[in-house]
Amino acid sequence: MRKYHNTADQHQTEHPAWIFSSAIGIIGLAGLVIVSRHNFLLFHGLAELFSISVAWAVFFLVWNTRHVTDADSLVFVGIAYFFIGIVDLLHTLAYKGMGVFSSHWGANLPTQLWVLARYMESASLILFPLLFRKKIQPTLIFGCWAGATLLLLGTIFFWRVFPDCYIEGTGLTRFKIFSEYIICILLGIALMLLHIRKGMVDTVVFRLLALSIIMTICAELAFTFYVSVYGFSNLLGHFFKIISL
């Protein structure tokens, strides 16, 4: 009986926190809708900075607890999100209208950076369940991600061999559209692997990650339709991305 009352009390305590968090989230999304109707560039910056801050918060959390945790797979994905956040930050700064990079890059550069970040994210999420109950060397993994990120960015900024993703006046290239579908498939594989190995991870973590992956897939599908970087599909995709966090 005492156990029952403790459980009931715990649920009663959790409900207000859940309701409060949901209310804050709804208010935040409503605020972003209003901002997007008046200044899409500001909306995009806020949406991306939010996702970047979450990615880096995950990294700093797992990095500072790496010596006391047995969940090395979480350390791996946290490190991955640190570098994904860096690419997303470059994407944000390169967005059309920001004026940080030379105008000759146009809308192609931020779109290339977006695709690159999503490939990195999908790859890390596939590897995540494969690393359950395995030991890694965080410093080595950090170095590998750093080197890989520099090389991948080099294909865009220095060697310029990364395929075009957006052409002014035409819209998305075939490479960009196909990449979004490929990324969705990779995320689907990650979700399948996560489901197969869900017994190796905490139930709450599994549910949150599964929901996050599903929302990310929805975001990627939305990003296959837009013609303008300020269009509705682009807006919808960013909302899905925010929800996935």
Side-chain angles (χ1 to χ4, degrees), residues 134-196:
K134 295 185 183 298
K135 302 299 293 183
I136 66 169
Q137 296 182 12
T139 305
L140 177 61
I141 296 298
F142 188 94
C144 289
W145 269 110
T149 302
L150 286 174
L151 286 174
L152 291 169
L153 289 175
T155 65
I156 296 176
F157 288 101
F158 300 107
W159 303 300
R160 300 189 180 183
V161 295
F162 197 94
D164 289 334
C165 294
Y166 187 92
I167 298 176
E168 296 289 347
T170 302
L172 302 177
T173 64
R174 289 185 178 181
F175 170 78
K176 203 279 185 180
I177 295 174
F178 289 155
S179 288
E180 296 290 7
Y181 290 127
I182 292 172
I183 290 167
C184 287
I185 292 172
L186 294 176
L187 290 170
I189 294 172
L191 184 61
M192 180 185 67
L193 291 173
L194 184 63
H195 182 267
I196 291 173

Side-chain angles (χ1 to χ4, degrees), residues 64-121:
N64 289 320
T65 59
R66 67 189 186 280
H67 297 301
V68 295
T69 181
D70 293 328
D72 281 17
S73 56
L74 285 176
V75 176
F76 170 84
V77 82
I79 293 172
Y81 270 104
F82 174 74
F83 292 100
I84 293 167
I86 290 176
V87 179
D88 275 338
L89 178 60
L90 290 173
H91 158 78
T92 304
L93 296 175
Y95 207 75
K96 186 177 180 180
M98 290 293 287
V100 176
F101 292 92
S102 174
S103 59
H104 83 271
W105 288 99
N108 186 44
L109 176 59
T111 312
Q112 288 176 313
L113 291 167
W114 171 269
V115 171
L116 173 58
R118 303 291 72 78
Y119 270 122
M120 292 169 63
E121 183 177 22

Side-chain angles (χ1 to χ4, degrees), residues 1-75:
M1 181 66 70
R2 181 178 298 175
K3 181 178 180 180
Y4 172 79
H5 284 303
N6 289 339
T7 303
D9 291 340
Q10 183 179 2
H11 286 310
Q12 289 177 356
T13 304
E14 290 175 352
H15 285 166
W18 180 84
I19 293 172
F20 177 76
S21 299
S22 299
I24 293 296
I26 293 171
I27 293 172
L29 288 175
L32 286 175
V33 170
I34 295 172
V35 170
S36 68
R37 293 176 64 88
H38 293 85
N39 190 325
F40 187 90
L41 193 60
L42 176 59
F43 157 77
H44 178 265
L46 291 174
E48 291 295 341
L49 288 176
F50 173 74
S51 67
I52 293 165
S53 65
V54 172
W56 285 352
V58 170
F59 164 72
F60 286 118
L61 176 63
V62 300
W63 185 260
N64 289 320
T65 59
R66 67 189 186 280
H67 297 301
V68 295
T69 181
D70 293 328
D72 281 17
S73 56
L74 285 176
V75 176

